[in-house]
Amino acid sequence: MARVVRRRRIAAPASALWAVITDPYHMPRWWPNTQRVENVSEGEPAERSWTQVLETRDGRGVRADYHCVASTEGERYVFEQTVEGTPFERFVKRARTEIKLNPQDGETDVTMSLDRRLRGLSRLGSPMMRRAIGRTLNEALSGLETAATGGSS
């Protein structure tokens, strides 16, 4: 199992961050390697599902489906990759991302965690996976800060 947590205080109100986090169409602005987002379902943030197209190192697109599994307005957003019945099923049991927002005097403490449970021999790569997840979360927090504040991180 690889669960990694990163925290950062961002100079933006929680409402601005919430608007970015809960709209999947904003993901290319802040989530690393995201080319585009497709097939976003209608409805409230807690009911959404979407397809994220990620760019590989060699420039190809890899599609991954996600859905919101929990949401507390303005405070917490949890989304999970749909693994069952996909090529990811061979090596991933679960990939869940949780984002918590805690307003602090006009700024927001953001806690982002990614819990990726591996399957089979893939579990042997857990230390490398933890480092990669940490880099992804650091980049996501930087991207979120830039997207929410309109400036550089």
Side-chain angles (χ1 to χ4, degrees):
M1 175 174 85
R3 183 174 189 276
V4 179
V5 178
R6 293 291 187 268
R7 293 174 179 82
R8 181 175 300 180
R9 180 167 284 193
I10 296 179
S15 59
L17 294 165
W18 184 255
V20 173
I21 291 165
T22 60
D23 184 348
Y25 285 118
H26 284 297
M27 290 191 95
R29 296 175 55 207
W30 68 278
W31 193 264
N33 303 316
T34 302
Q35 287 181 334
R36 67 184 179 279
V37 173
E38 304 170 342
N39 304 322
V40 176
S41 63
E42 296 293 324
E44 295 298 314
E47 302 166 349
R48 290 205 175 119
S49 62
W50 63 92
T51 299
Q52 184 177 13
V53 181
L54 298 161
E55 185 174 4
T56 64
R57 288 184 186 163
D58 62 1
R60 292 181 300 125
V62 174
R63 301 169 71 83
D65 295 321
Y66 290 86
H67 59 280
C68 178
V69 294
S71 177
T72 304
E73 178 76 29
E75 296 176 13
R76 180 174 175 261
Y77 196 69
V78 184
F79 57 93
E80 188 169 279
Q81 182 178 355
T82 303
V83 174
E84 191 173 321
T86 73
F88 295 101
E89 184 177 37
R90 292 186 319 229
F91 56 92
V92 175
K93 281 185 183 179
R94 182 172 95 172
R96 178 178 282 193
T97 303
E98 180 175 3
I99 303 167
K100 293 181 182 178
L101 305 177
N102 184 18
Q104 298 291 326
D105 300 321
E107 298 182 331
T108 307
D109 286 336
V110 180
T111 302
M112 195 176 291
S113 64
L114 204 158
D115 179 5
R116 188 166 288 155
R117 296 181 188 210
L118 303 175
R119 186 182 303 275
L121 290 176
S122 297
R123 290 178 295 168
L124 299 175
S126 189
M128 289 185 300
M129 177 71 71
R130 291 180 68 78
R131 285 191 297 275
I133 291 170
R135 283 191 302 272
T136 297
L137 291 177
N138 287 337
E139 290 177 32
L141 283 166
S142 293
L144 182 59
E145 184 171 18
T146 299
T149 63
S152 60
S153 53

